[in-house]
Amino acid sequence: AERPWVCKAIMAAQPPSAPGEPAPPPPPPPLQYSLLLQHLVGDKRQPRVWDPAALGGIPCPPKSEEQKMVERVMESCPFKAALACVGGFVLGGAFGIFTAGIDTNVGFDPKDPYRTPTAKEVLKDMGQRGISYAKNFAIVGAMFSCTECVVESYRGKSDWKNSVISGCITGGAIGFRAGLKAGVIGCGGFAAFSAAVDYYLR
């Protein structure tokens, strides 16, 4: 609230104006901090729209039709399945070569176990095992990625349930070739493994 003695003191401190001269302007009213706080943090505060260009940032131009088409292709199920197939092939080949490298029976002939294998035979056996692992990993990766994409598109959600459902379908499809029991075990094992990997990544 304004104090009357402050206004009287300000008016008394002003020199009297000479006759014929215009009167000096009245002093400004004292600052009211309550009104200032309302404009800063109160109800009268108006938030500004964030503009990256105003802060020296790089403005984001609108996407072209070619960029939108590329994004649609990269988010499609066939592209994800192909990418997982290639990644699984590379990973499986590396894993197969690694396991063949630490296996002491690589290159040995079961008909003549006492014969020492040559380097060519060892490399041939390592390559065959690497190709076998690469094919299996590629098939599993493509099946899992395609199934997960279809389940996610059907459910309209992206959560851990998609990995569990797709893992169960993939493991069951692979295990059913050996029978019903193997299919059930494969479904449960692959679903549990997918849930663990999804929990770790998230």
Side-chain angles (χ1 to χ4, degrees):
E2 298 182 1
R3 299 180 179 180
W5 61 270
V6 176
C7 297
K8 293 180 180 180
I10 294 175
M11 295 177 63
Q14 293 179 353
S17 58
E21 293 183 0
L31 184 62
Q32 297 183 5
Y33 291 98
S34 59
L35 296 178
L36 181 61
L37 290 176
Q38 288 182 4
H39 285 279
L40 292 177
V41 296
D43 299 335
K44 296 183 179 180
R45 178 177 177 269
Q46 298 180 358
R48 297 177 59 185
V49 179
W50 183 75
D51 186 9
L55 300 177
I58 301 176
C60 184
K63 296 180 181 179
S64 60
E65 293 297 330
E66 290 78 8
Q67 292 177 338
K68 295 179 180 179
M69 183 180 65
V70 171
E71 289 183 355
R72 287 194 297 266
V73 171
M74 293 182 66
E75 293 177 357
S76 61
C77 293
F79 180 82
K80 291 182 179 179
L83 188 63
C85 181
V86 174
F89 187 87
V90 175
L91 181 62
F95 185 74
I97 295 174
F98 174 75
T99 55
I102 62 177
D103 190 1
T104 57
N105 296 324
V106 174
F108 281 91
D109 188 3
K111 298 180 181 180
D112 190 7
Y114 296 101
R115 186 180 65 86
T116 302
T118 62
K120 183 178 180 180
E121 293 174 347
V122 172
L123 292 177
K124 182 180 179 181
D125 200 355
M126 291 176 64
Q128 290 177 353
R129 184 176 296 189
I131 292 297
S132 177
Y133 275 70
K135 290 180 180 179
N136 293 333
F137 274 63
I139 293 174
V140 172
M143 288 179 60
F144 180 81
S145 179
C146 185
T147 307
E148 185 180 19
C149 182
V150 172
V151 172
E152 182 178 350
S153 301
Y154 177 77
R155 295 183 66 242
K157 298 179 182 180
S158 178
D159 53 10
W160 61 273
K161 295 181 180 179
N162 297 333
S163 300
V164 173
I165 296 173
S166 57
C168 180
I169 295 175
T170 304
I174 296 175
F176 275 137
R177 295 183 299 177
L180 179 62
K181 184 177 180 180
V184 174
I185 295 175
C187 174
F190 215 105
F193 178 75
S194 302
V197 172
D198 188 82
Y199 176 79
Y200 178 77
L201 293 178
R202 291 179 185 270

